[in-house]
Amino acid sequence: MKQFTYTITDPVGIHARPAGLLVKAIKALDSTVTIAKADGKSAVGTKLMALMGLGIKQGETVTVAVEGGDEDANLVAMEQFFKDNL
């Protein structure tokens, strides 16, 4: 398992539009991606409502874990997605 942390910069956090884009991006990968907040709450990246239910706001730091498949390439893809969209 590989992971990275990212501080959300989007002014409204992970809301419907970016969450939908994130789910779509994760479904294209051959790894399982989990997003976790500092308080211990987490969600599998392919579950839109679970992601939105985390209530991630601007300024919060999340841990993104990539497991299985081509972890190295998928980790790079997720890091780039977060930088570009969140």
Side-chain angles (χ1 to χ4, degrees):
M1 176 174 66
K2 306 238 180 215
Q3 61 185 24
F4 68 94
T5 57
Y6 183 80
T7 301
I8 303 300
T9 58
D10 188 294
V12 287
I14 298 183
H15 57 94
R17 184 192 56 77
L21 293 173
L22 179 58
V23 168
K24 186 176 180 182
I26 291 171
K27 285 184 176 181
L29 304 177
D30 63 346
S31 296
T32 300
V33 178
T34 305
I35 288 83
K37 290 176 57 173
D39 66 4
K41 292 181 182 177
S42 65
V44 175
T46 54
K47 307 287 186 193
L48 178 64
M49 297 309 290
L51 274 176
M52 291 175 55
L54 292 176
I56 299 169
K57 306 285 185 217
Q58 180 183 28
E60 287 189 284
T61 300
V62 294
T63 301
V64 180
V66 179
E67 187 171 5
D70 187 350
E71 291 178 355
D72 293 323
N74 293 337
L75 182 76
V76 169
M78 280 293 95
E79 286 181 313
Q80 191 61 50
F81 178 88
F82 272 74
K83 288 176 187 171
D84 291 346
N85 298 286
L86 298 170

